[in-house]
């Protein structure tokens, strides 16, 4: 700032060395402004998280795009127009597929994986490797290729032979293809409509078989962000694919395997791909061509009008997981078990969905998952037991976030209590105190390559198997008193599995009867009215993270089983307060009001102790009105969606 002139904000790159030195002197560190040639210098301009371009010659950055105040631009992608490349003949573009706006993806063997084993034994649980398989899921052997640095690799020659034990033990059965769903251009607004997940909205395109050698070949829509997941015999994803892939019209994309190491040749090539499986009839294998995977052979024979005992086109994605072994027809062959996992049309009508069936592979929690918990099953209706927040609340009431209570219960973990102090653990995130939360029942965050159902404690409980959930998740959510395996029928279990595998989104269809939105309680009203009441009434007594100064109560004892921890940060306290609201249409029933308005509170207090929030008080009414407004907003939103 120069005397008599307006303040000017400049880039530090334009400062002289004297000005830079002045900004770093001790007087400046004590708060005194730096003055150079009569100009007062301050380095207190808020950081601008924008997009910059680096000039390698001048070693400087030039701003490209600046966001409005309070926002930041990150992860910029450089785009430059260029002509479509003209490929000289012979071309790899299939004109027939190109005319259908489709492309071809082919994987030689999903068992050809990297040194981390991201599609190997480390992705399997003990339940995937029964004693009948000698506790092995994917048979191993020494690599043949001298350039291969892996200690062992999948023994594809054994796995593809129906006369070998490894044939029936290998886990891969289907590939599930999904695509990204573009959000609406406007109206959806909050990220909360997608849900408590790191994943985006996705749609299931369909399923295709994985052949015994681990190969698959399928046609997919072109110019579409796609993801592929390999699923086991129960329809559960073994691994979560975290990157989108896409292909151009008529393109053929071929991969050696899943995360293959790119050293040496394909595992399913050479003498391995050409090895004759003893359990496949000689008449069938005589049609095999050199270098051809099982998927390629099956697709070629189908196209030639000679399907292998199955009229279904193996190249086309199917809506259901239907599998019948077409290879095990030679000496000593033992066929793989058939698969038939459908929403409707099952051999036993009791295995069909009695609730809404997803349309076009789009699963929305309110429409498809929540009704499963409230469906009348007689003594097995989920909400017969799970209607208490302290245990597990699977009711379809509306929570403070605007989403269904059951969703919040499954996707948001309880506060973590420090075992030494008994106080809730607090972490600082982006400058704000935040209560550390434990593992939820549904694990849906990026960074874990394990399939989401297999990695979620809910998946283990519903299947009655220890899969790939963490030890912390099993401690936090121990086995229920009675087994839950079989409580959902086959179609229901498939639906919940797909929902978890996709990432546990709230809405995958952004146009669910309109533009899909959720309406959390008003944060402005919370900041101005509700938060001051909570700080003076609740935080002043028991519910502050650091304990109560001068209290004779043992530190942290009030937090045992307590989800309500106030830090003094309006933003963080708003979120934790929403977790205490499970039914906006019945304010008095919510823990936020019901517990402090009844005596004794806290439990164990003297019966003569004053009620913190009497039901007829002004503070009680203010909070009640704030909660009830959420019911009105949700009802109005439902009407909009129906239109």
């Amino acid at each position: 700032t120069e005397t008599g002139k307006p303040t000017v904000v400049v880039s530090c790159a334009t400062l002289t060395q004297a000005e830079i030195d002045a900004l770093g002197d001790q007087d400046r560190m004590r708060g005194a402004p730096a003055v150079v040639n009569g100009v007062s210098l301050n380095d207190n301009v808020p950081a601008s998280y924008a997009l910059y371009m680096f000039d390698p010659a001048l070693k400087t950055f030039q701003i490209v795009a600046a966001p409005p105040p309070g926002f930041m631009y990150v992860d910029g992608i450089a785009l430059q127009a260029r002509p479509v490349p003209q490929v000289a003949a012979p071309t790899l573009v299939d004109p027939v597929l190109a005319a259908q706006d489709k492309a071809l993806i082919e994987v030689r063997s999903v068992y050809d994986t990297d040194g981390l084993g991201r599609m190997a034994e480390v992705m399997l649980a003990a339940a995937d490797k029964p004693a009948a398989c000698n506790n092995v899921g994917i048979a191993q052997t020494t690599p043949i290729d001298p350039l291969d640095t892996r200690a062992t690799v999948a023994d594809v020659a054994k796995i593809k032979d129906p006369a070998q034990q490894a044939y029936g033990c290998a886990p891969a059965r289907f590939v599930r293809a999904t695509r990204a769903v573009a959000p609406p251009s406007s109206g959806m607004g909050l990220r909360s409509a997608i849900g408590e997940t790191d994943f985006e909205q996705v749609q299931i395109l369909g399923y295709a078989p994985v052949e015994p050698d681990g190969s698959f070949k399928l046609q997919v829509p072109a110019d579409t962000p796609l993801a592929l997941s390999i699923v086991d015999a129960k329809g559960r994803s073994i691994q979560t694919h975290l990157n989108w892939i896409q292909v151009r019209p008529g393109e053929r994309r071929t991969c050696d395997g899943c995360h293959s190491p790119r050293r040496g040749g394909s595992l399913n090539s050479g003498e391995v791909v050409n090895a004759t499986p003893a359990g496949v009839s000689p008449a069938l294998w005589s049609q095999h061509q050199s270098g051809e995977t099982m998927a390629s052979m099956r697709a070629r024979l189908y196209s030639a009008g000679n399907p292998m005992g199955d009229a279904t086109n193996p190249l086309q994605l199917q809506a259901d997981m239907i599998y019948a072994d077409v290879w095990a027809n030679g000496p000593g062959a033992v066929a793989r078990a058939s698969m038939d996992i459908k929403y409707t049309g099952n051999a036993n009508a009791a295995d069909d969905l009695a609730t809404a069936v997803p349309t076009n592979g789009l699963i929305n929690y309110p429409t498809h998952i929540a009704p499963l918990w409230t469906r009348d099953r007689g003594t097995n209706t989920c909400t017969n037991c799970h209607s208490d927040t302290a245990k597990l609340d699977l009711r379809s009431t509306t929570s403070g976030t605007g989403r269904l209570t059951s969703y919040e219960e499954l996707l948001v973990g309880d506060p973590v209590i420090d075992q030494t102090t008994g106080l809730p653990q607090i972490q600082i995130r982006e400058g704000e105190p935040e209560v550390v939360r434990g593992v939820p029942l549904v694990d849906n965050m990026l960074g874990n390559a394990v399939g989401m159902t297999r990695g979620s404690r809910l998946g283990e409980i519903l299947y009655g198997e220890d899969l790939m959930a963490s030890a912390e998740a099993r401690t936090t959510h121990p086995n229920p008193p009675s087994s839950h395996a079989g409580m959902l029928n086959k179609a229901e279990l498939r639906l919940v599995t797909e929902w978890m595998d996709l990432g546990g989104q709230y809405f995958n269809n952004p146009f669910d009867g309109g533009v899909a939105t959720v309406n959390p309680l008003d944060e402005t009203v919370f900041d101005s009215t509700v938060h001051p009441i909570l700080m003076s009434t609740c935080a002043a007594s028991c519910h502050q993270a650091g304990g109560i100064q001068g209290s004779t109560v043992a530190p942290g004892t009030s937090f045992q089983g307590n989800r309500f921890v106030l830090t003094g940060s309006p933003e963080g306290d708003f979120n934790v307060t929403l977790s205490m609201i499970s039914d906006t249409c019945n304010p008095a029933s919510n823990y936020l009001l019901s517990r402090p308005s009844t005596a004794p509170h806290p439990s164990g207090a003297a019966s003569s102790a004053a009620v913190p929030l009497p039901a007829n008080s002004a503070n009680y009414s203010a909070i009640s009105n704030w909660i009830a407004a959420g019911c009105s907003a949700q009802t109005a939103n439902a009407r909009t969606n129906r239109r």
Side-chain angles (χ1 to χ4, degrees), residues 295-364:
S296 290
M297 175 181 172
R298 185 173 180 179
R300 177 178 56 81
L301 292 178
Y302 180 89
S303 299
N306 185 24
M308 295 167 50
D310 187 352
T312 303
N313 185 349
L315 292 174
Q316 291 184 355
L317 292 167
Q318 306 298 321
D320 300 310
M321 290 169 278
I322 302 175
Y323 178 89
D325 198 327
V326 297
W327 299 96
N329 49 18
V334 178
R336 287 176 168 181
S338 296
M339 287 178 62
D340 187 2
I341 305 178
K342 299 184 291 187
Y343 290 143
T344 59
N346 290 289
N348 182 357
D351 284 330
D352 290 352
L353 277 180
T355 52
V357 177
T359 303
N360 298 324
L362 290 164
I363 300 173
N364 293 324

Side-chain angles (χ1 to χ4, degrees), residues 580-599:
M580 303 299 292
I581 300 169
S582 57
D583 188 354
T584 58
C585 294
N586 187 4
S589 70
N590 295 284
Y591 283 167
L592 185 65
L593 288 177
S594 64
R595 289 186 169 178
S597 64
T598 56

Side-chain angles (χ1 to χ4, degrees), residues 56-416:
L58 299 177
K59 302 294 191 295
T60 60
F61 287 89
Q62 180 178 0
I63 192 165
V64 175
F71 292 84
M72 65 176 69
Y73 292 152
V74 296
D75 300 328
I77 300 175
L79 300 177
Q80 182 177 1
R82 62 186 178 90
V84 176
Q86 301 298 315
V87 182
T91 179
L92 296 177
V93 174
D94 184 325
V96 176
L97 277 181
Q100 301 174 22
D101 205 25
K102 291 183 178 180
L104 188 71
I105 292 181
E106 179 177 3
V107 171
R108 297 192 65 83
S109 179
V110 299
Y111 302 120
D112 192 352
T113 190
D114 58 11
L116 298 177
R118 285 182 283 185
M119 188 53 209
E121 287 283 278
V122 296
M123 307 302 294
L124 305 180
D128 302 308
K129 300 177 286 186
C133 295
N134 296 325
N135 301 315
V136 173
I138 304 172
Q140 299 290 300
T141 188
T142 303
I144 299 174
D145 194 323
L147 297 178
D148 199 324
T149 60
R150 291 171 289 185
T152 62
V153 294
D155 194 339
V156 175
K158 278 186 178 180
I159 293 173
K160 74 176 186 179
D161 185 356
Q164 298 279 348
Q165 181 187 64
Y167 181 83
C169 297
R173 288 294 184 269
F174 272 85
V175 55
R176 179 195 293 135
T178 57
R179 67 177 285 269
V181 176
S185 57
S186 63
M188 187 170 166
L190 298 175
R191 171 77 196 185
S192 55
I194 299 177
E196 294 292 329
T197 175
D198 283 347
F199 291 85
E200 301 302 320
Q201 294 172 310
V202 292
Q203 173 188 11
I204 297 176
L205 295 176
Y207 294 86
V210 173
E211 302 299 344
D213 62 349
S215 63
F216 66 82
K217 192 172 184 178
L218 66 154
Q219 295 173 357
V220 295
D223 294 334
T224 302
L226 303 165
L228 304 172
S229 297
I230 306 303
V231 302
D232 63 15
K234 295 182 180 180
R236 305 172 300 207
S237 174
I238 296 174
Q239 186 193 52
T240 298
H241 197 285
L242 302 180
N243 300 96
W244 299 115
I245 58 176
Q246 56 185 342
V247 282
R248 295 306 313 279
E251 180 183 356
R252 175 192 174 195
R253 179 76 60 85
T254 303
C255 302
D256 286 347
C258 292
H259 300 280
S260 53
R262 302 180 183 178
R263 289 187 296 270
S266 166
L267 187 61
N268 195 18
S269 63
E271 62 182 81
V272 174
V273 76
N274 292 324
T276 300
V280 176
S281 71
L284 176 58
W285 197 254
S286 65
Q287 301 178 74
H288 177 264
Q289 297 179 356
S290 180
E292 193 174 47
T293 67
M294 285 179 154
S296 290
M297 175 181 172
R298 185 173 180 179
R300 177 178 56 81
L301 292 178
Y302 180 89
S303 299
N306 185 24
M308 295 167 50
D310 187 352
T312 303
N313 185 349
L315 292 174
Q316 291 184 355
L317 292 167
Q318 306 298 321
D320 300 310
M321 290 169 278
I322 302 175
Y323 178 89
D325 198 327
V326 297
W327 299 96
N329 49 18
V334 178
R336 287 176 168 181
S338 296
M339 287 178 62
D340 187 2
I341 305 178
K342 299 184 291 187
Y343 290 143
T344 59
N346 290 289
N348 182 357
D351 284 330
D352 290 352
L353 277 180
T355 52
V357 177
T359 303
N360 298 324
L362 290 164
I363 300 173
N364 293 324
Y365 184 89
T367 306
H368 304 111
I369 304 301
L372 300 180
W373 316 135
T374 58
R375 184 172 84 83
D376 186 5
R377 309 168 193 273
T379 58
N380 287 334
T381 301
C382 299
T383 49
N384 283 354
C385 295
H386 298 294
S387 58
D388 183 356
T389 302
K391 186 176 182 181
L392 178 63
D393 192 346
L394 293 180
R395 293 177 300 159
S396 289
T397 54
T398 301
S399 71
T401 64
R403 297 186 296 235
L404 296 183
T405 297
S406 58
Y407 184 84
E408 302 298 310
E409 287 281 295
L410 295 173
L411 275 295
V412 180
D414 289 332
V416 175

Side-chain angles (χ1 to χ4, degrees), residues 526 529-540 564 566 573 577 592 613 623:
F526 175 84
T529 304
V530 178
H531 192 241
I533 296 173
L534 299 180
M535 293 305 296
S536 62
T537 304
C538 304
F564 193 44
L566 298 170
D573 290 349
T577 301
L592 185 65
L613 201 65
I623 297 176

